[in-house]
Amino acid sequence: SHQSSRRAIERLPRSGPVSYCKKSDFDRLQSHNDFIKRRAGAGYFCHAIDLSLTGMRMQGMERLQLEDTLRVENHALIAVASIVNATQLDDSHEYAYGMQFLALSLKQLQGSFVSTAI
């Protein structure tokens, strides 16, 4: 239920390391659901900030395009997200991205999934 999803996300840390991969790196993905189920491989790494049920901000070294769709994963969730804004941090080689979740799967500790349509 939406209520249990909200409770689950409230227990998640608001920030921390995440890995991601770009949809453009894969051929012929049919849907966000396909992308969530796809094993990410090594992918790229960055730092999530201000994680919520609808999206997050993340910081990393790689320059991403606004049209990129990403599969983002950490110990608690897998999400498909679009980049809604991007800024280069002052005096830094890092970028900050605002991400909006298009699809989200929360990992339960015992291994089952709660899937939420946004």
Side-chain angles (χ1 to χ4, degrees), residues 9 12-21 44-60 64 70-74 77-86 96-102 104:
I9 203 98
L12 295 179
R14 287 276 179 258
S15 64
V18 293
S19 62
Y20 67 93
C21 53
Y44 310 90
F45 293 90
C46 65
H47 194 79
I49 307 159
D50 196 22
L51 187 64
S52 77
L53 197 55
T54 56
M56 67 178 195
R57 291 184 59 70
M58 73 179 205
Q59 270 175 233
L64 298 169
L70 305 183
R71 179 190 188 277
V72 181
E73 181 168 3
N74 69 7
L77 61 82
I78 303 171
V80 175
S82 61
I83 301 172
V84 291
N85 59 63
Y97 299 101
M99 311 289 297
Q100 180 175 13
F101 292 157
L102 306 172
L104 177 65

Side-chain angles (χ1 to χ4, degrees), residues 11-55:
R11 290 195 295 268
L12 295 179
R14 287 276 179 258
S15 64
V18 293
S19 62
Y20 67 93
C21 53
K22 295 182 278 194
K23 195 169 187 180
S24 54
D25 292 344
F26 293 92
D27 292 333
R28 298 183 303 280
L29 284 173
Q30 298 304 309
S31 68
H32 297 323
N33 220 26
D34 288 345
F35 200 17
I36 275 187
K37 285 188 248 177
R38 184 65 58 98
R39 278 276 163 256
Y44 310 90
F45 293 90
C46 65
H47 194 79
I49 307 159
D50 196 22
L51 187 64
S52 77
L53 197 55
T54 56

